[in-house]
Amino acid sequence: MSSSILSKALQATSLLASTTLVALSIATVALVTHYSESMDASYPEGSYTYYGPDGSPARREYWEEYDAGNRDFNKVYMQYVTSNDVWVLNPKTAGSRFPWVLACSIFFGLAAFAMSLTSTIITFETKKRLEREACIPSAAYSYYNPYFDCTRELAACSIFKMLSSGYDNHSQQICSEAQASRKMLIPSLVCAVVLISTWIAQAVVSKKGADAEADRRVQDLQEQKQVQ
């Protein structure tokens, strides 16, 4: 493959990667904005009645005890950890604000990679930590610790179905949007890696092409001298 064809192929690849990164940025900003506003409007931080997991033995036992007059409604308190929402938006905002720079500058490719990698690690680790420590269903049964510290995603996906007397389709929709926005960090990371790789490859191809051109000119000059 000639250097010119390879260079064009690399340019097309970098353009595709940067365009995909911008598209992911726009989609993620829209998703995070929508599910955050929906969550704060429909399920704000504060006090909720605990019913138990829908259809579970614990829920049936709870209502049997309530009907018998042996217990009152439990109250739990929801608090949101919003750092994950910010980290999901971080690399996306940079990508959507400077799409043309990302397409033509390896510096911003490195920045997108660093932010995407950092955001991916932090958001997934935060989710795992809260699932183990502060956003677990069993906490609702404790009279001394009726607090949930959850990301909006964990609250919508795991907790609010236990704070409703029936199936809550709205929280499931919010859950899907939150999961999708967080998982978009992975293809964003891949696009950033592709951007960096193609720009490095373009630099190498360009240098080799320049060296070959210089060698050709030297050879032409030498041949001209020999003819004279």
Side-chain angles (χ1 to χ4, degrees), residues 55-71:
S56 69
R59 190 172 185 128
R60 289 197 302 271
E61 292 172 5
Y62 176 88
W63 282 108
E64 287 173 359
E65 291 187 17
Y66 174 77
D67 291 338
N70 295 330
R71 68 184 304 174

Side-chain angles (χ1 to χ4, degrees), residues 99-121:
W100 64 274
V101 179
L102 279 171
C104 64
S105 171
I106 192 170
F107 172 78
F108 283 96
L110 288 168
F113 170 77
M115 289 302 300
S116 295
L117 180 60
T118 302
S119 297
T120 300
I121 293 172

Side-chain angles (χ1 to χ4, degrees), residues 18 33 63 98 152 160 190 226:
S18 60
T33 301
W63 282 108
F98 302 107
R152 290 186 177 94
F160 272 104
V190 172
Q226 290 174 356

Side-chain angles (χ1 to χ4, degrees), residues 35 127 153 157 174-184:
Y35 84 68
K127 178 178 181 293
E153 176 190 346
C157 296
I174 295 173
C175 168
S176 299
E177 292 179 356
Q179 287 179 331
S181 65
R182 180 172 54 84
K183 290 177 180 177
M184 281 183 182

Side-chain angles (χ1 to χ4, degrees), residues 81-85 87 119-135 149-151 154 182:
V81 177
T82 59
S83 58
N84 267 23
D85 302 329
W87 276 109
S119 297
T120 300
I121 293 172
I122 289 178
T123 54
F124 278 83
E125 281 301 312
T126 299
K127 178 178 181 293
K128 288 182 180 180
R129 177 178 58 81
L130 291 176
E131 283 178 318
R132 294 192 306 264
E133 300 173 0
C135 189
D149 289 318
C150 304
T151 62
L154 287 174
R182 180 172 54 84

